């Protein structure tokens, strides 16, 4: 089953999603941006898609409308968009509830959330992207599953009430691990050491953790209860009180979780 | 240049290092453990190596003695070992200074630290393992470089004064990132959600971070300054005060680093 789809927004998700949908045989009818030039940057990558800066889609032939704008802009786009009969309106956000689309003119609403970190400069293989789907309508959910399945073998139905937990978990696993790598980079560069040295360790640690689980994969001074080393490290970090406190607190939590 | 090497210890480093040295053409003369049975488990993987439970190596033909025991046991092993003339004694620890070998009977001392997380159950390709080397003796350092080079293209000379910074950086990049994955696993399982969903995101985030640097790779509510989401997440975590505080503190540090 192939769909006619309009994409509202021109961020990183739209940038990757639009050509992927087209290459799976779906038709991208329009790409919307407040700034027509930005819409054109995406339609230029497509076969025959109209760029538009008008949220009036009453004449559109699309049946699925995918809002891929920043979280805070979703409600205002949903409230302003004018849709034809029987249209399905979805957004692609992991942290905005389905109810954000409740006051739109759409006949049906849903969530079509690709759980991945998108950057324009990095290619994404959608085969590895889990799609998290939600809709109150059984038939709409079925269509979203078909659409997701055309892009990726990984689909999950996740209710809005669970999406908060999912987002918190993603923040720890992605944003926060990334920040710890940043702290690590800074500790190294401050000492004139090459961060390259640590990369094989990081890759092996994450691989191991994903394979055997983080509890089994843990090593280091905290899990060994090596208080002497923990104290030395804490003192070493005294040039940055906040980073020292992060060191102390995570070490304590490793000790307490053991 | 090939060496005759004795290995003191039977932990994860010895388990992987001994066969790797042999397969590069070096001779592993003895493997020591306090428990002869454990030494035999390693010598069984080698061509013709003596297991021993005696630290008297005065009759050994090895020229390099590699201590691969737990950190806290290094000084006592170094103090007890009896070595022949002109022998080189090294340890494989990232957190024990070279001076821990100062009172040994070795003619020369050094550090031969493979910066990687070793587990018996996971194969390690030494080609990806950086070796961090140190010695006060120029000729010894040259030999350690040759030995490391036979195993891996990655060698760095790192002084003991810098090794503390390196270890702190490794704790953040490896032990702490692993613990954040554990917290993430727990947030998911508590909600009955499948952690598998998050694995592609984690892999992409770490790959991106190592490619473009963690500052450029950062996304999420903290770097966006999305205080509303940060508050919701913090309240969501109220079932675990310490984890909530980790959330608050890392988010604050992301905001402050931006």
């Amino acid at each position: 089953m192939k769909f006619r789809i309009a994409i509202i927004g021109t961020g990183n998700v739209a940038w990757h999603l639009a050509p992927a949908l087209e290459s799976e045989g779906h038709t991208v009818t329009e790409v919307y941006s407040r700034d027509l030039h930005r819409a054109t940057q995406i339609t230029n990558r497509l076969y025959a898609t109209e760029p538009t800066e008008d949220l009036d889609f009453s004449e559109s032939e699309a049946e699925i409308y995918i809002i891929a704008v920043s979280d805070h802009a979703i409600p205002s786009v949903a409230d302003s968009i004018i849709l034809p009969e029987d249209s399905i309106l979805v957004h692609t956000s992991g942290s905005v509830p389905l109810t954000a689309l409740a006051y739109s003119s759409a006949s049906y609403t849903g969530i079509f959330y690709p759980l991945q970190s998108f950057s324009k400069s990095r290619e994404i293989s959608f085969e590895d992207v889990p799609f998290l789907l939600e809709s109150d309508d059984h038939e709409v959910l079925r269509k979203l599953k078909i659409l997701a399945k055309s892009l990726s073998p990984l689909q999950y139905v996740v209710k809005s009430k669970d999406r908060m937990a999912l987002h918190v978990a993603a923040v720890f696993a992605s944003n926060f691990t990334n920040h710890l790598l940043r702290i690590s980079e800074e500790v190294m560069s401050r000492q004139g050491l090459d961060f390259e040295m640590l990369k094989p360790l990081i890759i092996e640690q994450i691989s191991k953790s994903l394979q055997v689980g983080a509890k089994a994969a843990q090593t280091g001074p905290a899990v060994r209860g090596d208080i002497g080393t923990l104290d030395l490290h804490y003192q070493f970090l005294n040039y940055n009180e906040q980073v020292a406190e992060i060191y102390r607190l995570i070490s304590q939590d490793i000790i307490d979780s053991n």
Side-chain angles (χ1 to χ4, degrees), chain A:
Chain A
M1 191 191 270
K2 303 301 176 188
F3 298 97
R4 294 183 310 284
I5 300 163
I7 294 183
I8 322 302
T10 53
N12 295 338
V13 171
W15 178 262
H16 290 284
L17 190 58
L21 289 168
E22 193 173 78
S23 74
E24 295 307 327
H26 307 290
T27 304
V28 181
T29 56
E30 293 100 357
V31 170
Y32 163 88
S33 170
R34 278 180 306 183
D35 172 358
L36 196 66
H37 174 68
R38 288 176 62 88
T40 310
Q41 285 176 333
I42 292 188
T43 57
N44 282 346
R45 309 177 74 212
L46 304 173
Y47 180 63
T49 301
E50 280 295 309
T52 175
E53 50 187 356
D54 187 352
L55 277 175
D56 182 353
F57 286 88
S58 50
E59 303 298 318
S60 171
E61 296 194 338
E63 63 182 310
I64 300 178
Y65 296 79
I66 300 180
I67 300 181
V69 301
S70 30
D71 288 1
H72 66 88
I74 291 174
S76 73
V77 168
D79 291 355
S80 312
I81 195 167
I82 301 170
L83 297 171
E85 281 285 293
D86 294 330
S87 56
I88 300 170
L89 180 66
V90 301
H91 72 64
T92 56
S93 166
S95 38
V96 173
L98 185 52
T99 51
L101 307 181
Y103 298 104
S104 75
S105 59
S107 306
Y108 307 100
T109 58
I111 294 177
F112 189 76
Y113 168 37
L115 175 49
Q116 187 49 282
S117 170
F118 293 91
S119 308
K120 279 192 181 143
S121 59
R122 282 175 66 90
E123 281 306 304
I124 282 283
S125 162
F126 273 95
E127 284 175 33
D128 299 326
V129 176
F131 278 85
L132 277 50
L133 311 174
E134 183 178 2
S135 178
D136 292 335
D137 186 275
H138 180 76
E139 179 59 17
V140 169
L141 194 57
R142 198 182 68 85
K143 286 186 177 172
L144 294 180
K145 277 183 194 170
I146 292 167
L147 182 61
K149 202 170 184 174
S150 71
L151 296 167
S152 164
L154 311 169
Q155 309 117 43
Y156 301 87
V157 175
V158 176
K159 304 255 186 223
S160 286
K161 75 171 178 59
D162 291 334
R163 199 171 298 102
M164 165 80 90
L166 184 81
H167 196 217
V168 171
V171 166
F172 275 100
S174 171
N175 308 150
F176 286 2
T177 54
N178 184 69
H179 188 64
L180 296 188
L181 295 186
R182 179 156 178 206
I183 292 174
S184 182
E185 287 172 3
E186 285 172 358
V187 170
M188 293 290 279
S189 72
R190 203 170 183 278
Q191 200 80 13
L193 294 167
D194 185 354
F195 187 67
E196 288 296 319
M197 276 189 239
L198 287 174
K199 290 185 176 178
L201 173 70
I202 294 164
I203 293 164
E204 169 64 11
Q205 178 66 55
I206 302 290
S207 306
K208 193 192 293 187
S209 187
L210 295 185
Q211 189 193 27
V212 304
K215 182 175 163 62
Q218 191 58 285
T219 59
V223 77
R224 283 200 307 270
D226 180 352
I227 306 295
T229 298
L230 296 178
D231 279 349
L232 285 173
H233 287 186
Y234 183 73
Q235 286 161 32
F236 174 85
L237 291 165
N238 67 6
Y239 62 90
N240 185 327
E241 204 176 312
Q242 193 156 272
V243 168
E245 181 58 12
I246 290 171
Y247 186 95
R248 194 196 63 73
L249 197 57
I250 298 180
S251 294
Q252 189 61 52
D253 204 53
I254 292 173
I255 292 168
D256 294 347
S257 312
N258 221 33

Coordinates of all heavy atoms in Angstrom, one line a residue, chain A residues 172 176-177 179-180 183 218 222-223 230 243-257:
Chain A
F172 N 18.8 10.1 29.1 CA 20.0 9.5 29.8 C 20.9 8.7 28.8 O 22.1 8.9 28.9 CB 19.5 8.5 30.9 CG 19.1 9.1 32.2 CD1 17.8 9.4 32.5 CD2 20.1 9.4 33.1 CE1 17.5 10.0 33.7 CE2 19.8 10.0 34.3 CZ 18.5 10.3 34.6
F176 N 22.8 12.6 27.7 CA 23.6 12.6 28.9 C 24.9 11.8 28.6 O 26.0 12.2 29.1 CB 22.9 12.0 30.1 CG 21.9 13.0 30.7 CD1 21.6 14.2 30.1 CD2 21.2 12.6 31.8 CE1 20.6 15.1 30.6 CE2 20.2 13.5 32.4 CZ 20.0 14.7 31.8
T177 N 24.9 10.6 28.0 CA 26.1 9.9 27.6 C 27.0 10.9 26.8 O 28.2 10.9 27.0 CB 25.9 8.6 26.9 OG1 25.1 8.8 25.7 CG2 25.2 7.6 27.8
H179 N 27.1 14.1 26.8 CA 27.7 15.1 27.7 C 28.8 14.6 28.5 O 29.8 15.3 28.7 CB 26.6 15.8 28.6 CG 27.2 17.0 29.3 ND1 27.6 18.1 28.7 CD2 27.4 17.2 30.7 CE1 28.0 19.0 29.6 NE2 28.0 18.4 30.8
L180 N 28.7 13.3 28.9 CA 29.9 12.7 29.7 C 31.1 12.6 28.7 O 32.2 12.7 29.1 CB 29.5 11.4 30.3 CG 28.4 11.4 31.3 CD1 28.3 10.1 32.0 CD2 28.7 12.5 32.4
I183 N 32.7 16.0 28.7 CA 33.5 16.2 29.9 C 34.8 15.4 29.8 O 35.9 15.9 30.1 CB 32.7 15.7 31.2 CG1 31.5 16.6 31.5 CG2 33.7 15.7 32.4 CD1 30.6 16.1 32.6
Q218 N 29.6 -3.3 33.8 CA 30.2 -2.3 34.6 C 31.6 -2.7 35.1 O 31.8 -3.8 35.5 CB 29.3 -1.8 35.7 CG 29.8 -0.5 36.4 CD 29.9 0.7 35.5 OE1 30.8 0.8 34.7 NE2 29.0 1.6 35.6
A222 N 34.3 2.7 41.0 CA 33.1 2.7 41.8 C 32.5 1.3 42.1 O 32.2 1.0 43.2 CB 32.0 3.6 41.2
V223 N 32.4 0.5 41.0 CA 31.8 -0.8 41.2 C 32.7 -1.7 42.0 O 32.3 -2.6 42.7 CB 31.4 -1.4 39.8 CG1 32.6 -1.9 39.1 CG2 30.4 -2.5 40.0
L230 N 38.4 6.9 44.0 CA 37.3 7.8 43.9 C 37.6 9.2 44.5 O 37.4 10.2 44.0 CB 36.0 7.3 44.5 CG 35.4 6.0 43.9 CD1 34.2 5.5 44.7 CD2 35.1 6.2 42.4
V243 N 31.4 19.6 37.8 CA 31.8 18.3 37.2 C 32.3 17.3 38.3 O 32.0 16.1 38.3 CB 33.0 18.5 36.2 CG1 33.6 17.2 35.8 CG2 32.4 19.2 35.0
A244 N 32.9 17.9 39.4 CA 33.3 17.0 40.5 C 32.1 16.4 41.2 O 32.1 15.3 41.6 CB 34.1 17.9 41.5
E245 N 31.0 17.2 41.3 CA 29.8 16.8 41.9 C 29.1 15.7 41.0 O 28.6 14.7 41.5 CB 28.8 17.9 42.1 CG 27.5 17.6 42.8 CD 27.6 16.9 44.2 OE1 28.8 16.9 44.7 OE2 26.6 16.3 44.6
I246 N 29.2 15.8 39.7 CA 28.7 14.8 38.8 C 29.5 13.5 39.0 O 28.9 12.4 39.1 CB 28.8 15.2 37.3 CG1 27.8 16.4 37.0 CG2 28.5 14.1 36.4 CD1 27.9 17.0 35.7
Y247 N 30.8 13.6 39.2 CA 31.6 12.5 39.4 C 31.2 11.8 40.7 O 31.0 10.6 40.8 CB 33.1 12.9 39.6 CG 34.0 11.7 39.7 CD1 34.6 11.1 38.6 CD2 34.2 11.0 40.9 CE1 35.4 10.0 38.7 CE2 35.0 9.9 41.1 CZ 35.6 9.4 39.9 OH 36.4 8.2 40.1
R248 N 31.0 12.6 41.8 CA 30.7 12.0 43.1 C 29.3 11.3 43.0 O 29.1 10.2 43.5 CB 30.6 13.1 44.1 CG 30.6 12.7 45.6 CD 30.2 13.8 46.5 NE 28.8 14.2 46.3 CZ 27.7 13.5 46.6 NH1 27.8 12.4 47.2 NH2 26.5 14.0 46.4
L249 N 28.3 12.0 42.4 CA 27.0 11.5 42.4 C 26.8 10.2 41.6 O 26.1 9.3 42.0 CB 26.0 12.6 41.9 CG 24.6 12.5 42.2 CD1 24.3 12.4 43.6 CD2 23.9 13.8 41.5
I250 N 27.4 10.2 40.4 CA 27.3 9.0 39.6 C 28.0 7.8 40.3 O 27.5 6.7 40.3 CB 27.7 9.2 38.2 CG1 26.9 10.3 37.5 CG2 27.7 7.9 37.4 CD1 27.3 10.5 36.0
S251 N 29.2 8.1 40.8 CA 29.9 7.0 41.6 C 29.1 6.5 42.7 O 29.0 5.3 42.9 CB 31.2 7.6 42.1 OG 32.1 7.9 41.0
Q252 N 28.4 7.4 43.4 CA 27.6 7.0 44.6 C 26.5 6.1 44.0 O 26.1 5.1 44.7 CB 27.0 8.2 45.3 CG 26.3 7.9 46.6 CD 27.2 7.2 47.6 OE1 28.3 7.7 47.9 NE2 26.8 6.0 48.1
D253 N 25.9 6.5 42.9 CA 24.7 5.7 42.4 C 25.2 4.3 41.9 O 24.5 3.4 42.0 CB 24.0 6.5 41.3 CG 22.6 6.0 41.1 OD1 21.8 6.0 42.1 OD2 22.2 5.7 40.0
I254 N 26.4 4.3 41.3 CA 27.0 3.0 40.9 C 27.1 2.1 42.2 O 26.7 0.9 42.2 CB 28.3 3.1 40.2 CG1 28.1 3.8 38.8 CG2 29.0 1.8 40.0 CD1 29.4 4.2 38.1
I255 N 27.7 2.7 43.2 CA 27.9 1.9 44.5 C 26.5 1.4 45.0 O 26.4 0.3 45.4 CB 28.6 2.8 45.5 CG1 30.1 3.0 45.1 CG2 28.6 2.2 46.9 CD1 30.8 4.1 45.9
D256 N 25.5 2.4 45.0 CA 24.2 2.0 45.6 C 23.5 1.0 44.8 O 22.6 0.3 45.3 CB 23.4 3.3 45.8 CG 23.9 4.2 46.8 OD1 24.9 3.8 47.5 OD2 23.5 5.4 46.8
S257 N 23.7 1.0 43.5 CA 23.0 0.0 42.6 C 23.6 -1.4 42.6 O 23.1 -2.2 41.9 CB 23.0 0.6 41.1 OG 22.7 1.9 41.0

